[in-house]
Amino acid sequence: VRDAKIYVQESKLNQEKVLRIGLVAGLLLVLSISLSVFYQLKDTQKKKIVIESQNKKINESINYAKKIQDTLLPPVELISEKMSDIFIYHQAKAKVSGDFYWFKKLNDDKSFIACVDCIGQGVLGGFMSAMGCVLLDKFTEQEDISTSAILESLNDEIIKILQQTESGQIQEGLGMSVCKIDHKNSKIDFSGARNGIVIINEGKAERYKADLFPVG
């Protein structure tokens, strides 16, 4: 009987020991998992802060690039000095876009106007549009230049700048309509690369198609 009691007591002690060990092991496991989750959350929070900071810098850069791009667009007031009945609809796909319009007054009688669609959006489109504005200003310094000559000069210069003669280089270009307007004689000299124009006269619309190939 005594041996049986001792056996029962030892069994209870062993069970309690096993329970304690199991309880400690369980607590350690829970603690380990909790610490792991804590550090993962902490790491995730750090990454989130880094990502948010990077996104903020990217958005600030994009917004600044948009401001620069907006300064390249001629104000409506400047164009309306030569063409009073005018409106501009400019809805870019992204904040920084490759779509832009351009205007240049030659003298009291003549002016240039262009509508341009860069093949490419975002940063690339923004770069192409800035380059397009600069080149249009450059090649329209000569008053007697024709619109076709402007497109040819732009084409040659873009190919040269972007090194498009070599394989694997940037193959982007510009689709554009360029008009030279003779306000005194009510005449338009038009040339287009991919982009045509529509002339509305006495209630009738007539479309003039462009060359199939873009500038560049």
Side-chain angles (χ1 to χ4, degrees), residues 176-177 190-197 208-213:
M176 64 168 60
S177 304
F190 158 72
S191 293
R194 287 190 68 172
N195 290 4
I197 61 170
Y208 292 81
K209 295 183 178 180
D211 192 286
L212 292 175
F213 297 98

Side-chain angles (χ1 to χ4, degrees), residues 40 76 123 139 161 166-167 186 191-192 200:
Q40 284 180 2
V76 180
V123 176
F139 293 123
I161 292 172
E166 300 178 18
S167 60
S186 298
S191 293
I200 301 174

Side-chain angles (χ1 to χ4, degrees), residues 191-206:
S191 293
R194 287 190 68 172
N195 290 4
I197 61 170
V198 175
I199 301 293
I200 301 174
N201 187 30
E202 295 182 352
K204 294 182 180 180
E206 188 171 0

Side-chain angles (χ1 to χ4, degrees), residues 140-152:
T140 52
E141 290 176 353
Q142 300 175 1
E143 186 176 327
D144 59 342
I145 191 170
S146 66
T147 53
S148 58
I150 292 171
L151 292 185
E152 289 173 3

Side-chain angles (χ1 to χ4, degrees), residues 7-72:
Y7 177 76
V8 170
Q9 289 175 351
E10 289 178 349
S11 296
K12 286 182 178 180
L13 290 172
N14 287 332
Q15 287 177 0
E16 290 175 358
K17 185 178 180 180
V18 170
L19 286 172
R20 283 197 298 271
I21 293 171
L23 182 60
V24 172
L27 289 172
L28 288 173
L29 180 61
V30 171
L31 180 62
S32 176
I33 293 173
S34 298
L35 287 172
S36 177
V37 171
F38 171 76
Y39 284 117
Q40 284 180 2
L41 289 172
K42 193 175 181 181
D43 186 55
T44 302
Q45 186 67 21
K46 286 182 180 179
K47 289 179 180 177
K48 182 182 177 182
I49 292 172
V50 171
I51 292 171
E52 288 176 349
S53 176
Q54 290 176 342
N55 285 338
K56 184 180 179 181
K57 289 179 181 178
I58 291 170
N59 286 327
E60 287 176 350
S61 297
I62 291 173
N63 289 332
Y64 191 73
K66 184 181 185 306
K67 287 182 180 179
I68 294 174
Q69 193 173 46
D70 287 344
T71 61
L72 298 175

